[in-house]
Amino acid sequence: MRTIHPQQVIKHKRDGLMLSEQEIQGFVQGVTDRSITDAQTAAFLMACFLRGLDAGELAALTSAMRVSGEVFDASPLSTFTVDKHSTGGVGDKTSLLIAPILAAAGVANKTPAGVPGICVPMISGRSLGHTGGTLDKLETIPGFDTQLTLARFAEVLRHCGACMIGQTPRLVPADRILYGLRDHTSTVESPYLITASIMSKKLAESLNALVLDVKVGSGAFMQREEDARLLARLMVETGTAAGARTVALLTKMAEPLGRYAGNWVEVLECVDILQGRRHPLSQDLIHLTNVLAGWMLHLAGDAASPEEGYLLSNKLLATGAAYKSWLEIVAAQGGDIAIFDHPETFHKPAASTTLFAETKGFLNVIDCTEVGWAVQRLGAGRAKPGDPVSAHAGIEVHAKIGERVKPGQPLVTLFAENEALLAEPLEMLRATYQIEPDRPADKPIVRDVIRA
Amino acid sequence: MRTIHPQQVIKHKRDGLMLSEQEIQGFVQGVTDRSITDAQTAAFLMACFLRGLDAGELAALTSAMRVSGEVFDASPLSTFTVDKHSTGGVGDKTSLLIAPILAAAGVANKTPAGVPGICVPMISGRSLGHTGGTLDKLETIPGFDTQLTLARFAEVLRHCGACMIGQTPRLVPADRILYGLRDHTSTVESPYLITASIMSKKLAESLNALVLDVKVGSGAFMQREEDARLLARLMVETGTAAGARTVALLTKMAEPLGRYAGNWVEVLECVDILQGRRHPLSQDLIHLTNVLAGWMLHLAGDAASPEEGYLLSNKLLATGAAYKSWLEIVAAQGGDIAIFDHPETFHKPAASTTLFAETKGFLNVIDCTEVGWAVQRLGAGRAKPGDPVSAHAGIEVHAKIGERVKPGQPLVTLFAENEALLAEPLEMLRATYQIEPDRPADKPIVRDVIRA
């Protein structure tokens, strides 16, 4: 029995009035049970886009969306749940490293009931726009199942300390409906609606703590620092209001993170790191991973400070403890861990080409979003939802921004399923990988930390 | 073949950019051929509501809507076409008088081809909200057909100088779609969208001139004078941009216009006037009719000034010329003119009751919108589109605002199809027909004239 009038709720937001919790709950319920039409929802979304939402409205919207379907309940585990969310980048594979690092820390400190003291109930997404998706990367591991039931999800967490799955059809259905409409009605880029979308899904994981990686720069959805900062603040406020310890890091996304961008190639890079190697081109990835995992360990009470957390994370990587957890998680989710013995032999792109420097100077990446689109068009992304993605498509970078290069030096190698797919991405990369006479200004990867 | 991207058009308006004529035309075309979804249209409407439209955008939107379906083409008649549109009031029956007055003037000055020198191609609407509708009133005349084809419409115009019909299904289809969505998505009260809706329909009548009666006061949709003034200005600008001589009058809507409000009772009052009688309670109606018709006659070149037009209009009423045209129009549209011999005998409400003054003092009407709703709930209006309306439901007022009344004096009589329908409207009227110790300030009915 609906208790609100959709037209009245739309009208109130349209006129800049503050919506009550009851109005927001009733509206989200009506969106979910489809008694509110798409047209009404679209009008509401545009009114929210243009009028904004205050902290109370945003908390209420997030909460109503969170409970619109089934919610993961971690309380039977009696553990500390923590997760990380990134707003999306190019070559951003930190999730694949963070889950096993935190799992290793959790397994090392089990609760009296024998459950890992920290669990990472990670529910991830697929490739979106020019950015990659954790699920698409994991699914290149033969047998790896990202579509577990919530019961099986809890079981893997209980045994391994981390589990990485996709959204179930019944989890946060309101977001699925709203997201589809936003894409369609030009109401995507609202920091308020983005916050409600991200936080409703993350908080449905039953989290005690959450670290947000808000990307800023030419490869981020939020290219201007002020927009990223507002989004970070809204998400921290909303997480805190929902009772989760929430911190957001503003981090640079000006070039692909680490050495590879794609699907399997990103798994390859992570396994290389988990196995103890530290390729120079993976340094930025390892650093950011330790920063984020360090914050998560700190929030979970396993490290007295984020800096101590950083060192602990790095140690869990270096000792092979995180790799052990990685193998356990992959095996528990049905993945074939034998391929990690020689992971590079599994990288079999049918076609590849390399972009070389034509002059001498310093490397700069003009537009990292274009790099992301090049990766997607090589076959790593989809033209439309449901399309298959290529495991082996992607790029390997041979140099980073600010590096001194000379003519003939390789800059980036492109991989695809066939030759025809290489031409357009090669031109896109050629246009954005520029050699400049002066060294571009170097900025630290972590720009700021936003706390409650 | 659509030439625009709906999401881009929505985004441009959302971000406050100016839309091009091509974007607006493409969007309206997509709305009409249903290739643009209701959700996209709703988002666009909300963006227009909150961002507004400039004069060029409004002219383009009106024009695109006007030509979205069939358009009446008056050019074969080689006459001067003029119409009047009211934004809606209570007891506002001026259309029923104006059409025959102008027709009488047109018939008196035929073109060389024998066509009336002025024609009124009046396409009207039905009862909306608390206001009455011309079609509902006309259809109480036995046999009167408001659903003529445009060919028959032209024929009646050629013979009578005026014709009163409803929108055909193929006329301005974009407005039908947009209006339905606006009602549903709380985007009705935008002066920009109201202007486009009204003007696209009126300009589809192929008009040389248009007089707009913009109501202001407690019984109007626009209760604040500044809102009514903005709407009037937008409509005059849009009409002028489309090549029609356009004038708007801001007129008072603080109590029912004339003596009756309802359906048949309004026809009854008009016939009484057309037959030459001038009941004291009909004076405001006769005055406003002459003002509006006077402006129309002036714009059509039949009067040197609106004041001369007023006198000509009053003469056409007094001489019976307008009544002769009325009979011709009604007969041409299939109506039974025999009932006008004794029209009061056709008024047969099954139930009636009267509200009496309880104290002495001066009459005031607190909220004329409530009076409109009382009339509608007596049976004159509809709960939903397509419902039948009662011919005989309505009210007869016995006193006007500012009149000195004494206890026991009748204020208003209510008519309905059965006793049960009387109770709620009686209480509504009792609450709004108040006796006050001081005489309310008297304001002239015409508050201002807005010209290009």
Side-chain angles (χ1 to χ4, degrees):
Chain A
M1 191 58 188
R2 199 198 304 148
T3 53
I4 54 115
H5 296 288
Q7 283 98 325
Q8 281 299 310
V9 177
I10 299 167
K11 190 164 186 271
H12 290 164
K13 179 43 68 186
R14 179 196 85 185
D15 293 343
L17 305 180
M18 207 191 306
L19 299 181
S20 70
E21 204 174 315
Q22 194 203 15
E23 285 182 306
I24 291 173
Q25 280 173 356
F27 200 90
V28 171
Q29 192 189 315
V31 168
T32 310
D33 68 22
R34 311 310 301 239
S35 64
I36 289 177
T37 66
D38 283 357
Q40 290 175 320
T41 306
F44 177 77
L45 290 168
M46 184 57 85
C48 289
F49 191 106
L50 289 172
R51 290 291 193 179
L53 297 169
D54 78 358
E57 291 176 315
L58 189 48
L61 177 61
T62 304
S63 164
M65 287 167 65
R66 183 174 72 83
V67 300
S68 64
E70 74 181 344
V71 169
F72 176 61
D73 179 13
S75 58
L77 295 174
S78 292
T79 184
F80 189 94
T81 50
V82 58
D83 196 8
K84 182 228 57 158
H85 177 82
S86 151
T87 59
V90 180
D92 179 7
K93 52 196 84 76
T94 55
S95 291
L96 305 189
L97 296 170
I98 284 169
I101 290 169
L102 270 287
V107 170
N109 288 297
K110 289 201 174 177
T111 67
V115 178
I118 305 173
C119 281
V120 184
M122 192 179 273
I123 301 179
S124 302
R126 300 195 176 274
S127 163
L128 181 70
H130 71 285
T131 69
T134 298
L135 297 183
D136 294 325
K137 299 168 194 175
L138 287 170
E139 288 175 355
T140 63
I141 302 167
F144 196 102
D145 187 0
T146 60
Q147 304 301 309
L148 307 186
T149 63
L150 290 188
R152 178 67 190 144
F153 186 52
E155 221 172 293
V156 175
L157 287 171
R158 183 187 297 275
H159 287 96
C160 306
C163 187
M164 295 174 280
I165 62 169
Q167 243 189 293
T168 74
R170 286 157 55 209
L171 204 86
V172 199
D175 180 65
R176 214 180 337 274
I177 297 167
L178 292 175
Y179 196 85
L181 280 172
R182 281 168 58 206
D183 193 37
H184 180 73
T185 59
S186 296
T187 48
V188 171
E189 309 92 325
S190 157
Y192 306 97
L193 299 176
I194 293 171
T195 295
S197 175
I198 291 175
M199 297 304 287
S200 63
K201 284 181 288 193
K202 285 287 128 179
L203 295 170
E205 293 174 2
S206 189
L207 294 183
N208 297 117
L210 175 62
V211 173
L212 295 155
D213 180 7
V214 180
K215 305 289 191 189
V216 61
S218 74
F221 284 111
M222 299 279 166
Q223 304 201 350
R224 297 188 314 169
E225 186 160 325
E226 65 202 88
D227 294 337
R229 201 171 279 280
L230 170 60
L231 177 62
R233 186 173 63 70
L234 294 174
M235 292 200 293
V236 169
E237 278 175 10
T238 305
T240 305
R245 297 176 191 171
T246 312
V247 169
L249 278 70
L250 243 58
T251 76
K252 185 172 67 172
M253 177 41 65
E255 65 184 322
L257 190 64
R259 193 175 159 199
Y260 289 101
N263 292 313
W264 168 253
V265 285
E266 295 200 22
V267 176
L268 184 66
E269 181 175 5
C270 291
V271 170
D272 195 58
I273 294 165
L274 289 163
Q275 289 177 344
R277 282 177 291 275
R278 302 216 163 199
H279 193 285
L281 290 163
S282 295
Q283 288 304 335
D284 57 349
L285 168 65
I286 297 168
H287 173 62
L288 181 58
T289 297
N290 285 329
V291 170
L292 295 167
W295 267 102
M296 293 166 81
L297 290 165
H298 172 55
L299 294 180
D302 265 32
S305 66
E307 293 74 23
E308 275 189 29
Y310 185 102
L311 297 175
L312 174 54
S313 168
N314 201 45
K315 189 176 142 195
L316 291 165
L317 272 181
T319 59
Y323 185 50
K324 183 162 176 284
S325 281
W326 166 259
L327 294 175
E328 283 171 8
I329 298 161
V330 172
Q333 296 197 235
D336 175 10
I337 59 171
I339 62 161
F340 301 133
D341 292 339
H342 300 285
E344 67 288 353
T345 61
F346 187 63
H347 179 41
K348 291 168 184 153
S352 71
T353 188
T354 295
L355 176 71
F356 295 95
E358 290 173 5
T359 57
K360 71 169 188 174
F362 297 94
L363 179 66
N364 202 3
V365 177
I366 306 301
D367 182 358
C368 180
T369 290
E370 276 294 288
V371 180
W373 282 120
V375 172
Q376 301 303 302
R377 299 227 176 118
L378 281 165
R382 299 176 173 77
K384 59 177 198 297
D387 280 357
V389 297
S390 161
H392 300 293
I395 59 170
E396 176 180 1
V397 302
H398 304 294
K400 292 275 177 173
I401 291 178
E403 201 168 316
R404 185 191 293 271
V405 296
K406 48 192 180 188
Q409 182 176 330
L411 299 178
V412 50
T413 297
L414 296 76
F415 311 113
E417 304 265 1
N418 63 64
E419 294 284 341
L421 292 168
L422 296 170
E424 192 198 0
L426 180 64
E427 288 318 305
M428 292 165 78
L429 292 175
R430 194 191 304 279
T432 199
Y433 269 78
Q434 295 281 312
I435 313 297
E436 298 178 350
D438 301 310
R439 190 189 294 268
D442 190 28
K443 289 184 189 164
I445 194 159
V446 177
R447 302 271 265 269
D448 205 355
V449 179
I450 285 104
R451 313 184 62 168
Chain B
M1 190 59 188
R2 199 200 302 150
T3 53
I4 54 115
H5 296 286
Q7 282 99 326
Q8 283 298 311
V9 177
I10 299 167
K11 190 164 186 271
H12 289 164
K13 181 40 72 186
R14 179 197 84 185
D15 294 341
L17 305 180
M18 207 190 304
L19 299 182
S20 69
E21 204 173 317
Q22 194 204 16
E23 285 182 306
I24 291 172
Q25 280 173 355
F27 200 90
V28 170
Q29 191 189 316
V31 167
T32 309
D33 69 22
R34 310 312 298 240
S35 64
I36 289 177
T37 66
D38 283 357
Q40 289 176 321
T41 307
F44 176 78
L45 290 169
M46 184 58 83
C48 289
F49 191 105
L50 289 172
R51 291 289 193 181
L53 297 168
D54 79 358
E57 291 176 315
L58 189 48
L61 177 61
T62 304
S63 164
M65 288 168 63
R66 183 175 74 83
V67 299
S68 63
E70 74 180 346
V71 169
F72 176 63
D73 178 13
S75 59
L77 295 174
S78 294
T79 182
F80 189 93
T81 51
V82 57
D83 195 9
K84 183 228 57 155
H85 177 81
S86 151
T87 59
V90 180
D92 178 8
K93 51 197 86 71
T94 56
S95 291
L96 306 190
L97 296 169
I98 285 170
I101 290 169
L102 271 287
V107 171
N109 288 297
K110 290 202 176 179
T111 67
V115 178
I118 306 174
C119 282
V120 184
M122 192 180 275
I123 302 179
S124 301
R126 300 196 175 273
S127 163
L128 181 69
H130 70 283
T131 68
T134 297
L135 296 184
D136 295 324
K137 298 168 194 175
L138 287 171
E139 288 175 356
T140 62
I141 302 167
F144 195 101
D145 187 0
T146 61
Q147 304 303 308
L148 307 186
T149 62
L150 291 187
R152 177 67 191 146
F153 185 53
E155 219 173 294
V156 175
L157 286 171
R158 183 186 297 273
H159 288 98
C160 306
C163 186
M164 295 173 279
I165 63 168
Q167 242 188 294
T168 74
R170 286 158 54 210
L171 204 86
V172 199
D175 180 66
R176 213 180 338 272
I177 298 168
L178 292 175
Y179 196 85
L181 280 172
R182 281 169 59 205
D183 192 37
H184 179 72
T185 59
S186 296
T187 47
V188 171
E189 309 92 327
S190 157
Y192 307 98
L193 299 177
I194 293 172
T195 294
S197 175
I198 290 175
M199 296 303 288
S200 63
K201 284 180 289 194
K202 284 287 128 182
L203 295 170
E205 293 174 2
S206 190
L207 294 183
N208 298 117
L210 174 63
V211 173
L212 295 154
D213 180 7
V214 180
K215 304 289 190 187
V216 61
S218 73
F221 283 111
M222 300 280 167
Q223 303 200 351
R224 297 188 315 171
E225 186 160 325
E226 67 203 86
D227 295 336
R229 200 171 281 279
L230 170 60
L231 176 63
R233 186 173 61 72
L234 294 174
M235 292 199 294
V236 169
E237 278 175 10
T238 306
T240 306
R245 297 176 191 172
T246 313
V247 169
L249 278 70
L250 242 57
T251 75
K252 185 172 67 170
M253 177 41 65
E255 65 184 322
L257 191 64
R259 189 175 162 201
Y260 289 101
N263 291 314
W264 167 253
V265 284
E266 295 200 21
V267 176
L268 184 66
E269 181 175 4
C270 291
V271 170
D272 195 59
I273 294 165
L274 289 163
Q275 289 175 343
R277 281 176 292 274
R278 304 218 163 197
H279 192 284
L281 290 163
S282 295
Q283 288 305 335
D284 56 349
L285 167 66
I286 296 167
H287 172 61
L288 181 59
T289 297
N290 285 330
V291 171
L292 294 168
W295 267 102
M296 293 165 79
L297 289 164
H298 172 55
L299 295 180
D302 265 33
S305 66
E307 294 73 24
E308 276 190 27
Y310 185 103
L311 297 175
L312 174 55
S313 167
N314 200 45
K315 188 175 144 199
L316 291 165
L317 271 182
T319 59
Y323 185 52
K324 183 163 175 285
S325 281
W326 166 259
L327 295 175
E328 282 171 8
I329 298 161
V330 172
Q333 296 196 236
D336 175 11
I337 59 172
I339 63 163
F340 301 134
D341 292 340
H342 300 284
E344 67 288 353
T345 62
F346 188 62
H347 178 41
K348 291 169 185 155
S352 70
T353 187
T354 295
L355 176 72
F356 295 94
E358 289 171 5
T359 56
K360 70 170 189 173
F362 297 94
L363 179 66
N364 201 1
V365 176
I366 305 301
D367 182 359
C368 181
T369 289
E370 277 294 287
V371 179
W373 282 119
V375 172
Q376 300 304 301
R377 298 229 176 117
L378 282 165
R382 299 175 173 79
K384 59 176 198 296
D387 281 357
V389 297
S390 162
H392 300 293
I395 60 172
E396 177 181 1
V397 301
H398 304 294
K400 292 274 179 175
I401 291 178
E403 198 167 320
R404 185 191 294 271
V405 296
K406 48 191 178 187
Q409 181 175 332
L411 300 178
V412 49
T413 297
L414 296 75
F415 311 114
E417 303 266 359
N418 63 63
E419 294 284 340
L421 290 170
L422 296 170
E424 191 198 359
L426 180 64
E427 288 319 305
M428 292 166 77
L429 292 174
R430 195 192 303 279
T432 202
Y433 270 79
Q434 295 280 312
I435 312 299
E436 297 178 350
D438 301 310
R439 191 189 292 270
D442 191 27
K443 290 183 189 164
I445 196 159
V446 177
R447 302 270 266 269
D448 205 355
V449 178
I450 285 102
R451 314 183 63 165

